[in-house]
Amino acid sequence: MKKILLVCIILTAFMSCKKDGKTQTLYLAHTLPQTHPVHKGIVEFKKALYEKSGGTMDVKIFPDGQLGSEREVLELLQIGSVAITKVSAATLSNFVPEYHVLGIPYLFRDKDHQFEVLEGEVGKSILEKGSKFWLRGLGYYDAGSRSFYTSTKPIRTPDDLKGLKIRVMNNQMAINMVNALGGSATPMAYGELYTAIQQGVVDGAENNPPSFVSSNHYEVSKYYTLDQHSSVPDVLLIGTKYWDKLTDEQKQWVQEAADESSQAQKQFWNESVEESMAIAKKAGVEIIIPEKSLFQEKSKSVLEAFLKEHPEMTDLINKIKNQ
């Protein structure tokens, strides 16, 4: 809370939208490093918006968690101290319930199905749900698929997870998924994970290839099982306190820039996955391609439990599965 108040004081001096002559500057904060493919997508958003607006709208990017965690920055958007951010749909689900659905294991058949859904009516309807919480979605970025990596033994079937402590995000869906597969879900701060694996506090974790490599976890985890159990996207958001002040033309520029950056980011992501997998293999990591249907079958209880708790999400899930 103290950190948020300090950031608010600093940003209030500049405002989330700074007018300098004829140029409005939007403040955009996120937690990723500048080498990350999602950050590269955000840079494309900045370029596209500046060009479309004829130089009348610009974006100042605060990467690397400079203004706080994902949750903290979302709160800054809600009060209008920051205009735009990028967060995981998993974090956003704590504010907008519909985003919980995107974390269901094996919800999407493949990447084509995922973006067919996200870029269609269903995905757009979820983006709009955030407006009543002062968080308007602009689009989705590819955050890949999460898979297991371990230091003690390879995971070839769900049975191999028995007795293993697997670090997960502090997210109930992720916790339920690992436990359903037979592992012992262990929520832990991401920054503590390298040492935790190295010292045997946990036996492994789950994440996408670029994160597996950029975190250097491949140095202490020599087994990477591409079960691809969940594909939780990142979301580009704008605070409604800022959005509502824009003219219709400015709103169009912002949305078009977001759409173009989303398409460019997909290519950045694919390139990063290829590069990351090559680095992992060269470092001696065993890449395992399991029978995904075994993991899919055993994780069905996660969906069943979710629907029991949230029956109002049934129609949304059916629309996704039937698309």
Side-chain angles (χ1 to χ4, degrees):
M1 183 58 69
K2 288 182 179 178
K3 184 174 183 179
I4 292 176
L5 289 173
L6 178 60
V7 171
C8 287
I9 292 170
I10 295 171
L11 291 179
T12 299
F14 295 98
M15 302 305 292
S16 63
C17 171
K18 183 180 69 174
K19 294 185 178 181
D20 181 13
K22 294 183 178 181
T23 301
Q24 296 184 41
T25 301
L26 294 70
Y27 288 173
L28 189 161
H30 69 82
T31 61
L32 298 171
Q34 296 180 56
T35 55
H36 198 283
V38 171
H39 175 82
K40 294 178 181 178
I42 289 171
V43 171
E44 291 301 310
F45 170 73
K46 169 186 169 72
K47 292 178 182 177
L49 182 58
Y50 190 83
E51 181 178 339
K52 289 177 182 298
S53 68
T56 61
M57 298 184 77
D58 198 6
V59 177
K60 180 172 177 58
I61 303 171
F62 295 85
D64 296 305
Q66 292 177 28
L67 302 186
S69 66
E70 287 194 335
R71 185 180 182 91
E72 289 169 336
V73 175
L74 284 172
E75 292 170 355
L76 291 174
L77 254 71
Q78 289 179 315
I79 63 177
S81 294
V82 171
I84 301 179
T85 190
K86 184 292 309 171
V87 300
S88 168
T91 303
L92 194 52
S93 66
N94 295 314
F95 294 77
V96 186
E98 284 76 9
Y99 284 101
H100 276 297
V101 170
L102 302 182
I104 293 172
Y106 301 105
L107 175 68
F108 303 110
R109 294 186 294 274
D110 51 36
K111 190 173 290 292
D112 287 341
H113 177 227
Q114 179 186 13
F115 278 94
E116 187 178 307
V117 169
L118 296 180
E119 294 172 357
E121 289 185 18
V122 172
K124 291 177 181 177
S125 71
I126 295 175
L127 291 175
E128 292 170 0
K129 294 288 184 182
S131 293
K132 61 184 176 182
F133 302 98
W134 307 287
L135 300 167
R136 188 184 193 282
L138 293 171
Y140 300 93
Y141 287 142
D142 191 352
S145 296
R146 301 178 75 92
S147 294
F148 292 111
Y149 52 88
T150 51
S151 61
T152 52
K153 68 174 186 178
I155 305 301
R156 304 188 190 281
T157 71
D159 288 341
D160 294 325
L161 283 162
K162 289 180 181 177
L164 298 186
K165 292 182 179 180
I166 303 296
R167 180 268 176 186
V168 294
M169 297 181 289
N170 191 14
N171 173 273
Q172 196 58 50
M173 187 78 74
I175 293 170
N176 292 347
M177 185 269 302
V178 169
N179 290 339
L181 290 173
S184 178
T186 307
M188 176 184 294
Y190 194 61
E192 300 172 6
L193 184 51
Y194 184 100
T195 302
I197 296 174
Q198 190 177 45
Q199 297 180 350
V201 176
V202 295
D203 300 294
E206 45 90 51
N207 217 322
N208 55 62
S211 296
F212 176 53
V213 171
S214 64
S215 62
N216 294 321
H217 292 169
Y218 71 97
E219 296 175 351
V220 290
S221 300
K222 293 303 181 181
Y223 305 103
Y224 194 21
T225 302
L226 301 182
D227 64 296
Q228 299 177 323
H229 46 259
S230 63
S231 301
V232 182
D234 281 340
V235 185
L236 187 67
L237 300 153
I238 186 168
T240 57
K241 287 185 179 294
Y242 179 76
W243 177 261
D244 292 342
K245 296 177 183 177
L246 299 178
T247 66
D248 288 343
E249 186 176 38
Q250 288 174 324
K251 289 177 180 177
Q252 182 177 343
W253 291 336
V254 170
Q255 187 60 64
E256 289 179 354
D259 292 342
E260 290 181 15
S261 73
S262 178
Q263 297 306 313
Q265 187 269 338
K266 289 181 191 177
Q267 183 58 39
F268 295 141
W269 185 267
N270 291 337
E271 292 170 356
S272 182
V273 168
E274 290 182 13
E275 180 182 345
S276 298
M277 292 299 289
I279 291 172
K281 289 177 182 178
K282 188 174 180 180
V285 175
E286 180 182 352
I287 307 299
I288 300 160
I289 310 296
E291 179 54 61
K292 287 200 288 187
S293 62
L294 298 176
F295 293 82
Q296 187 173 6
E297 183 65 29
K298 200 158 186 179
S299 64
K300 282 183 177 179
S301 61
V302 178
L303 173 57
E304 294 168 358
F306 179 77
L307 286 176
K308 187 174 182 179
E309 186 176 352
H310 302 281
E312 73 279 5
M313 299 290 181
T314 301
D315 288 345
L316 176 58
I317 292 170
N318 286 339
K319 285 181 180 178
I320 292 173
K321 286 183 170 290
N322 294 330
Q323 185 165 330

